[in-house]
Amino acid sequence: MSRIVVIGGVAAGMSAASQAKRRQPEADVVVLERGPYVSYGACGMPYNIEDPARTMDDLVVLTPADVRERGIDLRLRHRASGVDSKRRVVAAQDLEGGATVELDYDALVLATGAAPVQPPIPGLGQPGVFVLRELTDGQALKQHLAEAQPARAVIVGAGYIGMEMAEALRGRGLAVTVVERIDQVTPGFDPAIAALVADALGRHGVSVETGVTVQAVEKVEGDGLAVRTDRGSIPTDLVLVAVGVRPRVELARSAGVALGETGAIAVDDGMRTNVPAVFAAGDCAEAWHIVSGRPAWIPLGTTANKQGKVAGANAAGGTECFAGIAGTAGFKVFDLEVARTGLTSTEAAGLGIDVVTAISRQRSRAHGYPGANPITTTLAAERGTGRLIGAQMAGVGVVAKRIDVFATALAAGFTVEALEALDLSYAPPFAPVFDPVLIAATVARKRLEAAAREDAAAAGRVGR
Ligand SMILES: Cc1cc2nc3c(=O)[nH]c(=O)nc-3n(C[C@H](O)[C@H](O)[C@H](O)COP(=O)(O)OP(=O)(O)OC[C@H]3O[C@@H](n4cnc5c(N)ncnc54)[C@H](O)[C@@H]3O)c2cc1C
């Protein structure tokens, strides 16, 4: 009987294990998970934390019993401590019993995920300072909210988790300050979109300080804390550090698995690494970016689940392929929906793609229909060819699902002209006659035409 060992039991790991077992029911599929949970929806943590009536266990998709019922040998609280890829053996330490066992494997899937970045700021290790990555992090934070009843919070980092948590903590009645090192919120979003996010935060009573560097978290009199920055000190009761994640690749590296240019594990489209019989999937691995045509590392649950399925199928002898990513992602902050897909103009320029950027505004619903609100779209298109490169949207209305039209267009290699010609649905409760997606394409086409005229005029001047 063959043995498939999966390291990590959340999105990528459980998808891989389930798929491998489905493909090869007779195989011994073993999952090693360091933590006490498997298969939970980390993405739901901010909403769960906001609601004191809900338990964090609501986020568990499969209990250990469900997993074992599928015939998977789940070893919770087991940390894979070493991989000998020549002998095809994994060492696993039982974190409760203390013993280390060796498991030989025919195929190994690395699904070790990502770890929160802990910047070298003094004072991060003290009580009242949190990160939010694993279910146990969410439980600790939620328990602190219930027991310590903090009145103030500082969130360090204005990425999407910082934004979702700003809403959650305001919802729990805290006074919230967000501090961000760069000079806009939501790094990775165009300034026009970031400005709308900052506005939504302000409208809902969140104080935002951008262009600020945190120097230390200090203990002050009583139970209080203070976040010392280069612009002064912010008194608080709770600090959430949400400055991003890094791929967990130490085990892979020690096993001779090559990392890619992004620092995550390099894989082919079948999720194979450079080491025979070793696959990788999820936040620890790279993915092929369909727009840039290069490897990218954009850690998301969508990608982790899909890559996990492919890795599990192929570990069980399959020949599946992962189609790549466009970096499609969305989040909500209070009443504002925000989403992106593809490359921003800045990212495109960094890759040598010459783009025009079009910014448009259109109502979410038909004129006169209640609840029609403006949606802002920024769209990047390649100068010369008109190929769609990326889009971002923000507004009070359906944004996160509208971005999927752009994501589909990116996968199909559409030009903005092809996008403009799409037959999208219209009825007053859902959209205006010209949907924000179509208006964005029209504005981009006009920008491209203007750019072409400028290029022709410049060529004429040179020719004279
Ligand atoms: C608050 C929050 C909100 C999010 N919202 C969204 C969203 O809206 N949309 C979206 O697409 N994504 C979202 N994400 C991201 C998404 O949760 C991750 O991309 C996804 O969990 C990645 O899954 P993974 O299995 O690759 O890694 P992980 O979830 O990190 O799981 C890896 C597992 O491997 C285990 N492990 C690591 N090393 C070892 C070892 N040596 N031995 C044994 N076990 C080990 C870890 O304990 C961990 O449980 C969110 C994340 C957070 C934290």
Side-chain angles (χ1 to χ4, degrees), residues 7-13 32-35 37 40 42-46 78-81 111-114 132-134 160-161 164 248 251 281-284 299-304 330:
I7 305 176
V10 188
L32 300 172
E33 170 53 56
R34 202 179 50 124
Y37 294 96
Y40 57 83
C43 316
M45 286 197 289
H78 275 68
R79 186 177 72 88
S81 51
T112 48
L132 187 63
R133 173 70 199 178
E134 298 179 7
Y160 77 92
I161 292 176
E164 289 174 350
R248 246 198 221 110
L251 193 66
D283 282 6
C284 62
L300 286 170
T302 43
T303 308

Side-chain angles (χ1 to χ4, degrees), residues 119 121 154-158 162 177-180 214 217 227 239-243:
I121 297 171
V154 171
I155 298 175
V156 182
T177 303
V178 175
V179 292
E180 167 58 51
V214 173
V217 177
V227 175
V239 178
L240 175 66
V241 181
V243 295

Side-chain angles (χ1 to χ4, degrees), residues 106-146:
D106 297 285
L108 176 69
V109 179
L110 300 169
T112 48
V117 170
Q118 284 280 26
I121 297 171
L124 291 191
Q126 62 189 304
V129 182
F130 295 87
V131 293
L132 187 63
R133 173 70 199 178
E134 298 179 7
L135 199 64
T136 47
D137 299 326
Q139 285 170 329
L141 177 51
K142 197 163 184 179
Q143 190 178 346
H144 182 78
L145 289 172

Side-chain angles (χ1 to χ4, degrees), residues 223-319:
D223 288 337
L225 297 169
V227 175
R228 179 155 54 79
T229 76
D230 56 349
R231 286 218 224 123
S233 226
I234 310 166
T236 187
D237 305 307
L238 180 161
V239 178
L240 175 66
V241 181
V243 295
V245 290
R246 58 165 186 81
R248 246 198 221 110
V249 292
E250 297 77 6
L251 193 66
R253 205 192 277 130
S254 72
V257 170
L259 306 184
E261 60 189 66
T262 67
I265 299 171
V267 284
D268 69 6
D269 61 2
M271 308 317 298
R272 297 172 198 88
T273 70
N274 64 311
V275 174
V278 179
F279 299 78
D283 282 6
C284 62
E286 291 186 334
W288 189 253
H289 198 293
I290 61 167
V291 182
S292 70
R294 302 184 65 83
W297 184 64
I298 304 176
L300 286 170
T302 43
T303 308
N305 278 287
K306 290 181 205 145
Q307 287 188 330
K309 272 180 86 174
V310 172
N314 293 348
T319 52

Side-chain angles (χ1 to χ4, degrees), residues 150-212:
R152 304 159 297 182
V154 171
I155 298 175
V156 182
Y160 77 92
I161 292 176
M163 299 296 90
E164 289 174 350
M165 283 307 297
E167 176 180 345
L169 294 175
R170 278 300 287 148
R172 294 289 300 251
L174 279 77
V176 178
T177 303
V178 175
V179 292
E180 167 58 51
R181 189 164 47 95
I182 69 165
D183 56 11
Q184 67 164 59
V185 294
T186 56
F189 278 84
D190 291 326
I193 302 293
L196 294 171
V197 175
D199 176 66
L201 290 167
R203 278 190 286 110
H204 290 87
V206 175
S207 144
V208 180
E209 297 194 22
T210 54
V212 167

